[in-house]
Amino acid sequence: MTVDAAWMGGAPCVRGLRIPVATVMAMAADGMSADEIVSELPDLVVDDVRTALRFAAETVRERELPLRHPAGGCARRLMA
């Protein structure tokens, strides 16, 4: 994967191509197989699709999500 602020607005792309990882993920989310994705994007090979999936999974795994606290002390009222 290639991430460069000067390339495609800094969006992660497959192998330095102008194919964002998000495009490949959207195609997979729409139910396309790796072979179908490669057929639509002939600059890719099946391993590019797998690598993009791994990259996306790792990106989400490393994201920190803020914990939400109940508004107005709802938790205390429920426990009382």
Coordinates of all heavy atoms in Angstrom, one line a residue:
M1 N 0.8 -1.2 0.0 CA 0.0 0.0 0.0 C 0.9 1.2 0.0 O 2.0 1.2 0.6 CB -0.9 0.0 1.2 CG -1.9 -1.2 1.4 SD -3.0 -1.3 0.0 CE -2.3 -2.7 -0.8
T2 N 0.4 2.3 -0.6 CA 1.1 3.5 -0.7 C 0.3 4.6 -0.1 O -0.9 4.8 -0.4 CB 1.4 3.9 -2.2 OG1 2.1 2.8 -2.8 CG2 2.2 5.1 -2.3
V3 N 0.9 5.3 0.8 CA 0.3 6.5 1.4 C 1.2 7.7 1.3 O 2.4 7.6 1.8 CB 0.0 6.3 2.9 CG1 -0.7 7.5 3.5 CG2 -0.9 5.0 3.1
D4 N 0.8 8.7 0.5 CA 1.6 9.8 0.2 C 0.7 11.1 0.1 O -0.2 11.1 -0.7 CB 2.4 9.6 -1.1 CG 3.4 10.7 -1.4 OD1 3.2 11.8 -0.9 OD2 4.2 10.5 -2.3
A5 N 1.0 12.1 0.9 CA 0.2 13.3 1.0 C 0.1 13.9 -0.4 O -0.9 14.6 -0.7 CB 0.7 14.3 2.0
A6 N 1.1 13.7 -1.2 CA 1.1 14.4 -2.6 C 0.4 13.5 -3.6 O 0.4 13.8 -4.8 CB 2.5 14.7 -3.0
W7 N -0.1 12.3 -3.2 CA -0.6 11.4 -4.2 C -2.1 11.1 -3.8 O -2.3 10.6 -2.7 CB 0.2 10.1 -4.2 CG -0.1 9.1 -5.2 CD1 -0.9 7.9 -4.9 CD2 0.2 9.0 -6.5 NE1 -1.0 7.2 -6.0 CE2 -0.3 7.8 -7.1 CE3 1.0 9.8 -7.4 CZ2 -0.2 7.4 -8.4 CZ3 1.1 9.4 -8.7 CH2 0.6 8.2 -9.2
M8 N -3.0 11.3 -4.6 CA -4.4 11.0 -4.4 C -4.9 11.6 -3.0 O -5.7 11.0 -2.3 CB -4.7 9.5 -4.4 CG -4.4 8.8 -5.7 SD -5.6 9.3 -7.0 CE -7.1 8.5 -6.4
G9 N -4.5 12.8 -2.7 CA -4.9 13.4 -1.5 C -4.5 12.7 -0.2 O -5.2 12.9 0.8
G10 N -3.5 11.9 -0.3 CA -3.1 11.1 0.9 C -3.9 9.9 1.2 O -3.6 9.2 2.2
A11 N -4.8 9.6 0.3 CA -5.6 8.3 0.5 C -4.7 7.1 0.3 O -3.9 7.1 -0.7 CB -6.8 8.3 -0.4
P12 N -4.8 6.1 1.1 CA -4.0 4.9 0.9 C -4.4 4.3 -0.5 O -5.6 4.1 -0.7 CB -4.4 3.9 2.0 CG -5.0 4.8 3.1 CD -5.6 6.0 2.3
C13 N -3.4 3.9 -1.3 CA -3.6 3.4 -2.6 C -2.9 2.0 -2.8 O -1.9 1.8 -2.0 CB -3.2 4.3 -3.7 SG -4.1 5.9 -3.8
V14 N -3.4 1.3 -3.7 CA -2.8 0.0 -4.0 C -1.5 0.1 -4.8 O -1.6 0.7 -5.9 CB -3.8 -1.0 -4.7 CG1 -3.2 -2.3 -5.0 CG2 -5.1 -1.1 -3.8
R15 N -0.4 -0.4 -4.3 CA 0.9 -0.4 -5.0 C 1.2 0.8 -5.8 O 1.8 0.8 -6.9 CB 0.8 -1.6 -6.0 CG 1.3 -2.9 -5.5 CD 1.5 -3.9 -6.6 NE 0.4 -4.2 -7.4 CZ 0.3 -4.0 -8.7 NH1 1.4 -3.5 -9.4 NH2 -0.8 -4.3 -9.4
G16 N 0.9 2.0 -5.3 CA 1.3 3.2 -6.0 C 0.4 3.5 -7.2 O 0.7 4.4 -8.0
L17 N -0.6 2.7 -7.4 CA -1.6 3.0 -8.5 C -2.6 4.0 -8.0 O -2.7 4.2 -6.8 CB -2.3 1.7 -8.9 CG -1.4 0.5 -9.3 CD1 -2.2 -0.8 -9.4 CD2 -0.8 0.8 -10.7
R18 N -3.3 4.5 -8.9 CA -4.4 5.5 -8.5 C -5.7 4.7 -8.2 O -6.7 5.1 -8.7 CB -4.6 6.5 -9.6 CG -3.4 7.5 -9.8 CD -3.7 8.6 -10.8 NE -2.6 9.5 -10.9 CZ -2.4 10.6 -10.1 NH1 -3.3 10.8 -9.2 NH2 -1.4 11.3 -10.3
I19 N -5.5 3.7 -7.4 CA -6.7 2.9 -7.0 C -6.7 2.9 -5.5 O -5.9 2.2 -4.8 CB -6.6 1.5 -7.5 CG1 -6.5 1.5 -9.1 CG2 -7.8 0.7 -7.0 CD1 -6.3 0.1 -9.7
P20 N -7.6 3.7 -4.9 CA -7.6 3.8 -3.4 C -8.1 2.5 -2.8 O -8.9 1.8 -3.3 CB -8.7 4.9 -3.1 CG -8.8 5.7 -4.4 CD -8.5 4.7 -5.5
V21 N -7.5 2.2 -1.6 CA -7.9 1.0 -0.9 C -9.4 1.1 -0.6 O -10.1 0.1 -0.7 CB -7.1 0.9 0.5 CG1 -7.7 -0.1 1.4 CG2 -5.7 0.7 0.2
A22 N -10.0 2.3 -0.4 CA -11.4 2.4 -0.1 C -12.2 1.9 -1.3 O -13.3 1.4 -1.1 CB -11.7 3.9 0.2
T23 N -11.8 2.1 -2.5 CA -12.5 1.6 -3.7 C -12.6 0.1 -3.7 O -13.6 -0.5 -3.9 CB -11.8 2.2 -5.0 OG1 -11.9 3.6 -5.0 CG2 -12.5 1.6 -6.2
V24 N -11.4 -0.5 -3.4 CA -11.4 -2.0 -3.4 C -12.3 -2.5 -2.2 O -13.0 -3.5 -2.4 CB -9.9 -2.5 -3.2 CG1 -9.9 -4.0 -3.1 CG2 -9.1 -2.0 -4.4
M25 N -12.2 -1.8 -1.1 CA -13.1 -2.3 0.1 C -14.6 -2.1 -0.3 O -15.4 -3.0 0.1 CB -12.7 -1.5 1.3 CG -11.4 -1.7 1.9 SD -11.0 -3.4 2.2 CE -10.3 -3.9 0.7
A26 N -14.9 -1.0 -0.9 CA -16.3 -0.8 -1.3 C -16.8 -1.9 -2.3 O -17.9 -2.4 -2.1 CB -16.5 0.5 -1.9
M27 N -16.0 -2.3 -3.2 CA -16.3 -3.4 -4.1 C -16.5 -4.7 -3.4 O -17.4 -5.4 -3.6 CB -15.3 -3.5 -5.2 CG -15.2 -2.2 -6.1 SD -13.8 -2.2 -7.2 CE -14.5 -3.1 -8.6
A28 N -15.6 -5.0 -2.4 CA -15.7 -6.2 -1.7 C -17.0 -6.2 -0.8 O -17.7 -7.2 -0.7 CB -14.5 -6.4 -0.8
A29 N -17.3 -5.0 -0.2 CA -18.5 -4.9 0.6 C -19.7 -5.0 -0.2 O -20.7 -5.5 0.3 CB -18.5 -3.5 1.3
D30 N -19.7 -4.7 -1.5 CA -20.8 -4.9 -2.4 C -21.0 -6.4 -2.8 O -21.9 -6.7 -3.6 CB -20.7 -4.0 -3.6 CG -21.0 -2.6 -3.3 OD1 -21.6 -2.3 -2.2 OD2 -20.6 -1.7 -4.1
G31 N -20.1 -7.2 -2.3 CA -20.2 -8.7 -2.6 C -19.4 -9.2 -3.7 O -19.5 -10.3 -4.1
M32 N -18.5 -8.3 -4.3 CA -17.7 -8.8 -5.4 C -16.5 -9.7 -4.9 O -16.0 -9.4 -3.8 CB -17.1 -7.6 -6.1 CG -18.1 -6.7 -6.8 SD -17.4 -5.3 -7.7 CE -16.6 -6.1 -9.1
S33 N -16.2 -10.7 -5.6 CA -15.1 -11.6 -5.2 C -13.8 -10.9 -5.7 O -13.8 -9.9 -6.5 CB -15.2 -12.9 -6.0 OG -15.0 -12.7 -7.4
A34 N -12.7 -11.4 -5.2 CA -11.4 -10.9 -5.6 C -11.2 -11.0 -7.1 O -10.7 -10.0 -7.8 CB -10.3 -11.6 -4.9
D35 N -11.7 -12.1 -7.7 CA -11.6 -12.2 -9.2 C -12.4 -11.2 -9.9 O -12.0 -10.6 -10.9 CB -12.0 -13.6 -9.6 CG -10.9 -14.7 -9.2 OD1 -9.7 -14.3 -9.2 OD2 -11.3 -15.8 -8.9
E36 N -13.6 -10.9 -9.4 CA -14.5 -9.9 -10.0 C -13.8 -8.5 -9.9 O -13.9 -7.7 -10.8 CB -15.8 -9.9 -9.4 CG -16.6 -11.1 -9.7 CD -17.9 -11.3 -8.9 OE1 -17.9 -10.9 -7.7 OE2 -18.9 -11.8 -9.4
I37 N -13.2 -8.2 -8.8 CA -12.6 -6.9 -8.6 C -11.4 -6.7 -9.5 O -11.3 -5.7 -10.2 CB -12.1 -6.7 -7.1 CG1 -13.3 -6.7 -6.2 CG2 -11.2 -5.5 -7.0 CD1 -13.0 -6.7 -4.7
V38 N -10.6 -7.8 -9.7 CA -9.5 -7.7 -10.6 C -10.0 -7.6 -12.1 O -9.4 -6.9 -12.9 CB -8.6 -9.0 -10.5 CG1 -7.6 -9.1 -11.6 CG2 -7.9 -8.9 -9.1
S39 N -11.1 -8.2 -12.4 CA -11.7 -8.1 -13.7 C -12.1 -6.6 -14.0 O -12.0 -6.1 -15.1 CB -12.9 -9.0 -13.8 OG -13.6 -8.8 -15.1
E40 N -12.7 -5.9 -12.9 CA -13.1 -4.5 -13.1 C -11.9 -3.6 -13.0 O -12.0 -2.5 -13.6 CB -14.1 -4.2 -12.0 CG -15.4 -4.8 -12.1 CD -16.2 -4.2 -13.2 OE1 -16.2 -3.0 -13.4 OE2 -16.9 -5.0 -13.9
L41 N -10.9 -3.9 -12.3 CA -9.7 -3.1 -12.2 C -8.5 -3.9 -12.6 O -7.7 -4.4 -11.8 CB -9.5 -2.7 -10.7 CG -10.7 -1.9 -10.1 CD1 -10.5 -1.7 -8.6 CD2 -10.8 -0.5 -10.7
P42 N -8.3 -4.0 -13.9 CA -7.3 -4.9 -14.5 C -5.8 -4.6 -14.1 O -4.9 -5.5 -14.3 CB -7.5 -4.8 -16.0 CG -8.3 -3.6 -16.2 CD -9.0 -3.3 -15.0
D43 N -5.5 -3.4 -13.5 CA -4.2 -3.2 -13.1 C -3.8 -4.0 -11.8 O -2.7 -4.1 -11.4 CB -3.9 -1.7 -12.8 CG -3.9 -0.9 -14.1 OD1 -3.5 -1.5 -15.2 OD2 -4.2 0.3 -14.1
L44 N -4.9 -4.5 -11.2 CA -4.7 -5.2 -9.9 C -4.5 -6.7 -10.2 O -5.0 -7.2 -11.2 CB -5.9 -5.0 -9.0 CG -6.2 -3.6 -8.5 CD1 -7.4 -3.7 -7.5 CD2 -5.0 -3.0 -7.9
V45 N -3.9 -7.4 -9.2 CA -3.9 -8.9 -9.2 C -4.6 -9.3 -7.9 O -4.8 -8.5 -7.0 CB -2.5 -9.4 -9.2 CG1 -1.8 -9.1 -10.6 CG2 -1.6 -9.0 -8.1
V46 N -5.0 -10.5 -7.8 CA -5.8 -11.0 -6.7 C -5.0 -10.7 -5.4 O -5.7 -10.4 -4.4 CB -6.1 -12.5 -6.8 CG1 -6.7 -13.1 -5.5 CG2 -7.1 -12.7 -8.0
D47 N -3.7 -10.9 -5.3 CA -3.0 -10.6 -4.1 C -3.1 -9.1 -3.7 O -3.1 -8.8 -2.5 CB -1.5 -11.0 -4.3 CG -0.8 -11.0 -3.0 OD1 -1.3 -11.7 -2.0 OD2 0.3 -10.4 -2.9
D48 N -3.3 -8.2 -4.6 CA -3.5 -6.8 -4.3 C -4.8 -6.6 -3.5 O -4.9 -5.9 -2.5 CB -3.6 -5.9 -5.5 CG -2.3 -5.8 -6.3 OD1 -1.2 -5.8 -5.6 OD2 -2.3 -5.6 -7.5
V49 N -5.8 -7.4 -3.9 CA -7.1 -7.3 -3.2 C -6.9 -7.8 -1.8 O -7.4 -7.2 -0.8 CB -8.2 -8.1 -3.9 CG1 -9.5 -8.1 -3.2 CG2 -8.4 -7.5 -5.3
R50 N -6.3 -9.0 -1.6 CA -6.0 -9.5 -0.3 C -5.2 -8.6 0.6 O -5.5 -8.4 1.8 CB -5.3 -10.9 -0.4 CG -6.2 -11.9 -1.0 CD -5.5 -13.3 -0.9 NE -6.3 -14.3 -1.6 CZ -5.9 -14.9 -2.7 NH1 -4.7 -14.7 -3.2 NH2 -6.7 -15.8 -3.3
T51 N -4.2 -8.0 0.0 CA -3.4 -7.0 0.7 C -4.2 -5.8 1.2 O -4.0 -5.3 2.3 CB -2.1 -6.6 -0.1 OG1 -1.4 -7.8 -0.4 CG2 -1.2 -5.7 0.6
A52 N -5.0 -5.3 0.3 CA -5.9 -4.2 0.6 C -6.8 -4.5 1.8 O -7.1 -3.7 2.7 CB -6.7 -3.7 -0.6
L53 N -7.4 -5.8 1.8 CA -8.2 -6.2 2.9 C -7.5 -6.3 4.2 O -7.9 -5.8 5.2 CB -8.8 -7.6 2.6 CG -9.9 -7.6 1.6 CD1 -10.2 -9.0 1.1 CD2 -11.2 -7.1 2.2
R54 N -6.3 -6.8 4.1 CA -5.4 -6.9 5.4 C -5.1 -5.5 5.9 O -5.1 -5.2 7.1 CB -4.1 -7.6 5.1 CG -4.3 -9.1 5.2 CD -2.9 -9.8 5.1 NE -3.1 -11.0 4.2 CZ -2.7 -11.0 3.0 NH1 -2.1 -10.0 2.4 NH2 -2.9 -12.1 2.3
F55 N -4.8 -4.5 4.9 CA -4.4 -3.2 5.3 C -5.6 -2.5 6.0 O -5.5 -1.9 7.0 CB -4.0 -2.4 4.0 CG -3.7 -0.9 4.3 CD1 -2.5 -0.6 4.7 CD2 -4.7 0.0 4.2 CE1 -2.2 0.8 5.0 CE2 -4.4 1.4 4.4 CZ -3.1 1.7 4.8
A56 N -6.8 -2.7 5.4 CA -8.0 -2.1 6.0 C -8.3 -2.6 7.3 O -8.7 -1.9 8.3 CB -9.2 -2.3 5.0
A57 N -8.2 -3.9 7.5 CA -8.4 -4.6 8.8 C -7.5 -4.1 9.8 O -7.9 -3.8 11.0 CB -8.3 -6.1 8.6
E58 N -6.2 -3.9 9.5 CA -5.2 -3.5 10.4 C -5.5 -2.0 10.8 O -5.3 -1.6 11.9 CB -3.8 -3.6 9.8 CG -2.7 -3.7 10.8 CD -2.9 -4.8 11.9 OE1 -3.3 -5.9 11.6 OE2 -2.6 -4.5 13.1
T59 N -5.9 -1.2 9.8 CA -6.2 0.2 10.1 C -7.3 0.3 11.1 O -7.2 1.1 12.0 CB -6.5 0.9 8.7 OG1 -5.4 0.8 7.9 CG2 -6.9 2.4 9.0
V60 N -8.4 -0.4 10.9 CA -9.5 -0.4 11.8 C -9.1 -0.9 13.2 O -9.5 -0.4 14.2 CB -10.7 -1.2 11.3 CG1 -11.8 -1.3 12.3 CG2 -11.2 -0.5 10.0
R61 N -8.3 -2.0 13.2 CA -7.9 -2.6 14.5 C -7.1 -1.6 15.3 O -7.2 -1.6 16.6 CB -7.0 -3.8 14.2 CG -6.6 -4.5 15.5 CD -5.9 -5.8 15.1 NE -6.7 -6.7 14.4 CZ -6.4 -7.3 13.3 NH1 -5.2 -7.2 12.8 NH2 -7.2 -8.1 12.6
E62 N -6.3 -0.7 14.7 CA -5.4 0.2 15.5 C -6.1 1.5 15.8 O -5.5 2.3 16.6 CB -4.2 0.5 14.6 CG -3.3 -0.7 14.5 CD -2.0 -0.4 13.8 OE1 -1.7 0.7 13.5 OE2 -1.3 -1.4 13.5
R63 N -7.3 1.7 15.4 CA -8.0 2.9 15.7 C -8.5 3.0 17.1 O -9.0 2.0 17.6 CB -9.2 3.1 14.7 CG -10.0 4.3 14.9 CD -11.1 4.4 13.9 NE -11.9 5.5 14.2 CZ -13.1 5.7 13.8 NH1 -13.7 4.7 13.1 NH2 -13.8 6.7 14.2
E64 N -8.3 4.1 17.8 CA -8.7 4.2 19.1 C -10.1 4.9 19.1 O -10.3 6.0 18.5 CB -7.7 5.1 20.0 CG -6.4 4.4 20.2 CD -5.5 5.2 21.1 OE1 -6.0 6.0 21.9 OE2 -4.3 5.0 21.0
L65 N -11.1 4.3 19.8 CA -12.4 4.9 19.9 C -12.6 5.5 21.2 O -12.3 4.9 22.2 CB -13.4 3.8 19.6 CG -13.3 3.2 18.2 CD1 -14.3 2.0 18.1 CD2 -13.6 4.2 17.1
P66 N -13.2 6.7 21.3 CA -13.4 7.3 22.6 C -14.5 6.6 23.4 O -15.5 6.1 22.7 CB -13.8 8.7 22.3 CG -14.4 8.7 20.9 CD -13.6 7.5 20.2
L67 N -14.4 6.5 24.7 CA -15.5 5.9 25.5 C -16.5 6.9 25.8 O -16.2 8.0 26.1 CB -14.9 5.3 26.8 CG -13.9 4.2 26.6 CD1 -13.3 3.8 28.0 CD2 -14.5 3.0 26.0
R68 N -17.8 6.5 25.6 CA -18.9 7.5 25.9 C -19.3 7.3 27.4 O -19.4 6.2 27.9 CB -20.0 7.2 25.0 CG -19.7 7.4 23.6 CD -20.9 7.3 22.7 NE -21.1 8.5 22.1 CZ -22.2 8.9 21.4 NH1 -23.2 8.0 21.4 NH2 -22.3 10.0 20.9
H69 N -19.5 8.4 28.0 CA -20.0 8.4 29.4 C -21.5 8.7 29.4 O -21.9 9.5 28.6 CB -19.3 9.4 30.3 CG -17.8 9.1 30.4 ND1 -17.3 8.1 31.2 CD2 -16.7 9.6 29.7 CE1 -16.0 8.0 31.0 NE2 -15.6 9.0 30.2
P70 N -22.3 8.0 30.2 CA -23.7 8.3 30.2 C -24.0 9.8 30.5 O -23.4 10.3 31.4 CB -24.3 7.4 31.3 CG -23.2 6.4 31.6 CD -21.9 7.0 31.2
A71 N -24.9 10.4 29.8 CA -25.2 11.8 30.0 C -26.1 11.9 31.3 O -27.0 11.1 31.5 CB -25.9 12.4 28.8
G72 N -25.9 12.9 32.1 CA -26.8 13.2 33.2 C -26.8 12.2 34.3 O -27.8 12.1 35.0
G73 N -25.8 11.3 34.4 CA -25.8 10.3 35.5 C -26.8 9.2 35.3 O -27.3 8.7 36.3
C74 N -27.2 8.9 34.1 CA -28.2 7.8 33.9 C -27.8 6.5 34.6 O -28.6 5.8 35.1 CB -28.4 7.6 32.5 SG -29.2 9.0 31.6
A75 N -26.5 6.2 34.6 CA -26.1 5.0 35.2 C -26.3 4.9 36.7 O -26.7 3.9 37.2 CB -24.6 4.8 34.9
R76 N -26.2 6.0 37.3 CA -26.5 6.0 38.8 C -27.9 5.8 39.0 O -28.3 5.1 40.0 CB -26.0 7.4 39.4 CG -24.5 7.4 39.6 CD -24.1 8.7 40.2 NE -24.2 9.6 39.1 CZ -23.7 10.8 39.1 NH1 -23.2 11.3 40.1 NH2 -23.8 11.6 38.0
R77 N -28.8 6.4 38.2 CA -30.2 6.3 38.5 C -30.7 4.8 38.2 O -31.5 4.3 38.9 CB -31.0 7.2 37.5 CG -31.1 8.6 38.1 CD -31.9 9.5 37.2 NE -31.0 9.7 36.1 CZ -31.3 10.6 35.1 NH1 -32.5 11.2 35.1 NH2 -30.5 10.8 34.1
L78 N -30.1 4.2 37.2 CA -30.4 2.8 36.9 C -30.0 1.9 38.0 O -30.6 0.8 38.3 CB -29.8 2.4 35.6 CG -30.4 3.0 34.4 CD1 -29.6 2.6 33.1 CD2 -31.8 2.7 34.2
M79 N -28.9 2.2 38.7 CA -28.3 1.4 39.7 C -29.0 1.6 41.1 O -29.0 0.7 41.9 CB -26.8 1.6 39.9 CG -26.1 1.2 38.6 SD -24.3 1.8 38.7 CE -23.7 0.3 39.5
A80 N -29.7 2.7 41.3 CA -30.3 3.0 42.5 C -31.6 2.2 42.8 O -32.2 1.7 42.0 CB -30.6 4.5 42.6

